[in-house]
Structure formats: structure tokens, C-alpha cells
Amino acid sequence: MKKSMAKNALKYQIYGIIFLSLLSMYPLSKSILDLSILLKTDRMIGTEDWLNSTILKKEQLAVKIQPNRQRILIVSGSNGLFGISAEKISQATGIETINLSSHAGLGGEYILNRAAKIIRKGDLILLPIEYSLYYSSGISDDFEDRASTLNSFMISYDRESLQQISSLALLRFLLRNAFQDIRTPEYQSYFRGRLSRQDISARLQQQKDRKDDNCYSGLTINNFGDETCNVGRDNIQINPKVLEPVLSSATNTEQIDPKGYISKFVTATNRIGAKIIPLYPVSTHSKHSEAIAFKKCTQEIKNFWKERKIEFRDTLQDALLAPELMYNTPYHPKDTGRHQRTQKIIKLVERNLNNI
């Protein structure tokens, strides 16, 4: 009993030190999380193994292209992962194309920051980021979001980037999560020593072999960075989930790019000497796409790029696909839907190449 009380007393003393450090503006970053784990050693953090292996493969493919060769890079969440074929763009244009798209749950700022690290002069950036990412409040808010994939991914695989998270956001995350136990096979210790690379590979293969969910293993990515798990699945019935709205309620009231991270990405690419082709994300045409809020949002996006003197020639007609062309969410087309969307994008790319 006394041992337990002493442990709790020590725990709250350390939390007090953290709080006082915040007040004095002492930089904390990842040490906040390290302390929380030391205080509760059975704390488990989701690893997002498939996402890490997917992103690393894509980045390696992009970096391997010779520096003197022009590249086309597709940057977005999973609508680009499922909905645009880098392979077909490569074949049509003769320019090596890599699909860097991953998961919108990482948040727009993280996705763009990570892409910016490998962009170089002469690159053509296809940017079909999801509607919700235009309204993101930034990486710290994305990290705190319970529904976010970002926090578990950064903690498990990209702790260096925790320096980008505000100390206050880290503290709030700590206080909200430090006393919860997560005990499922898909989770592992924060300290990765308990799970070897062999264990991770076995888990990924097991996930790939599951009939209903083989898209999130990292093992079905081709050499252009495209997801291929939906190839040959065009005959499956329409999934009701593809008819869900792609806009959250927040997009009705907030302004586009409230923290300016998209604008910063534009500035960075201009400075590097790369060119952006903004696109609408591929999604389902349904009753939600006829709503006033959706039409208002798409017009605001068009105006956003116009204000930055970047040509926006994509159309909703090309970006919205019939429900029978969609796979398992309103952002994920079947292979036929991806082909249809890609052919429209190829025309936009060729037009931009002719103007260079």
C-alpha cells in the first residue's frame, strides 16, 4: 500500500515539474512522452507498421531517381494512394512518377512537411489533398485528435518530428492518455525492443492474408508507390460507406488553411523550383456532393489557388466518380475508377508540361 502511494506521489511530482517547465517555456518535446511511459511501463502505443513501411518504400523510390531526371510526385492522403496511378502517368508522359500519397489521418501539415524534404528542382507536384486537410488547424492539433493516426505513428516511427508539436499539445495528450491501458494484438510497447522486425513482418503478412482487409499491409504497393489491393475487385457490390460525406461539419464554418501550412508548402516548392498542380481529391458523387456547403468548399479551394497565382484547371466533374466505381470509402476508387480519374489527370499534366 505504502509502495503504491509513494509511486503515485512520485508520478504527480513529475507531472508538476512538467507543468512548471511549461510555464517557464522550457522546451520539452518528446521528453514529455518518455516520462509518461516511464511512469506507466505497460502503456501501449499503436505502431501503424503498414503505414511506416508504405511511406518508406515510396520515399526510397523517389530518392532513387537520378537528380538530373525530372520527377512527378503525387502528394495527398489515401484518395491519391487509391485513386491515381503513378504507373500510368509514367507510361503516358515518359516522366518517372512516384505516388507519395499515404493516409489523411496523418494530417495535412505532416504530409506536406514530409514531402517537402524530398522535393527538388524541376519536380511536378500533383496535389489532390483531401477536403478536410484544407481546414486542418495544424500539426499540433492533428496530434491531439483522438481520431488521428498521427500521434501513434509519430511516437512509434518518427519521434524526431515530435519537435514540431507544441509542448502544450504534448502535455494535453499526455494527461488524456497516460492512465489508459490499450491491450490488443495490433499494439506494442512504446519502447520498440519488445517487437522485432521479424515479428512486424509476420504481423503485416497476416494482415495482408485477411480476406476483408488486405489493403493496409504495406505489401501491396507497386514500384510506382500505387496501392494495388483493389485491382481485380471491380465486381464487388457497392459498399454503403462510399456514400458517406467527405466534408466534416467544421468545414462549414472555418476558413481554408487557417494555420497557413499549405501556403508555406507553396512558398517552399517555389523556392526549390518545383511546380504544383492542385487537384480536387477523387471522391464519390452522391447527394452530399450536391449540397451547398460542398459546392462552397470546392469554390473556395479554387479561389485559394488562384490567389496564390497557381493555375487550377481541375473540375469537379472529373474528380467525382459514380458510386459503382468506388471501393470501400468515399475517397477510395476501384481500379476502373482509378483509371478513369488518372486519364483526366494525364491531360492536365501534359498541358502543364507543354507550358514549361
Side-chain angles (χ1 to χ4, degrees), residues 112-132:
L112 295 187
N113 285 351
R114 187 138 183 172
K117 293 177 182 178
I118 62 173
I119 290 172
R120 61 195 187 206
K121 185 176 181 180
D123 285 344
L124 203 57
I125 314 300
L126 304 184
L127 202 64
I129 58 174
E130 284 78 356
Y131 296 110
S132 60

Side-chain angles (χ1 to χ4, degrees), residues 267-283:
T267 301
T269 54
N270 286 340
R271 185 169 57 246
I272 292 168
K275 182 176 181 179
I276 293 174
I277 301 179
L279 302 165
Y280 288 125
V282 59
S283 59

Side-chain angles (χ1 to χ4, degrees), residues 43-55 103 106 148-159 182 184-196 199-201 203-204 207 216:
R43 170 74 178 136
M44 309 291 267
I45 298 290
T47 60
E48 299 296 342
D49 299 316
W50 74 272
L51 189 51
N52 183 62
S53 61
T54 294
I55 291 174
H103 190 333
L106 292 174
S148 169
T149 303
L150 181 64
N151 43 49
S152 58
F153 179 80
M154 290 181 74
I155 290 168
S156 294
Y157 283 108
D158 193 5
R159 288 200 218 173
I182 302 176
T184 67
E186 290 75 27
Y187 284 64
Q188 72 157 94
S189 168
Y190 174 80
F191 296 105
R192 296 191 58 79
R194 296 187 192 175
L195 204 64
S196 69
D199 293 329
I200 293 171
S201 297
R203 279 180 14 184
L204 290 173
Q207 190 165 5
Y216 309 104

Side-chain angles (χ1 to χ4, degrees), residues 1 36 40 51 74 89 109 130 138 153 158 160-161 172 201 223 230 241 260 284 294 297 311 322 326 346 350:
M1 181 74 174
S36 74
K40 192 173 183 60
L51 189 51
I74 305 167
I89 294 173
E109 186 167 6
E130 284 78 356
F153 179 80
D158 193 5
E160 287 185 9
S161 291
R172 285 198 294 255
S201 297
N223 287 329
N230 54 349
K241 290 185 177 180
T284 315
F294 181 76
C297 167
E311 195 173 46
M326 303 305 287
I346 286 171
E350 289 175 338

Side-chain angles (χ1 to χ4, degrees), residues 17 27 89 111 186 197 203 217 277 296 312-313 332:
I17 293 170
I89 294 173
I111 289 171
E186 290 75 27
R197 290 181 180 276
R203 279 180 14 184
S217 66
I277 301 179
K296 178 174 178 285
F312 191 96
R313 292 192 173 275
H332 297 173

Side-chain angles (χ1 to χ4, degrees), residues 59-73 95-98 120 123:
E59 291 178 342
Q60 288 164 2
L61 288 169
V63 170
K64 272 170 46 177
I65 297 173
Q66 293 297 319
N68 61 340
R69 300 286 297 274
Q70 187 179 20
R71 305 178 300 181
I72 298 174
L73 304 177
I95 298 173
E96 293 181 270
T97 304
I98 302 298
R120 61 195 187 206
D123 285 344

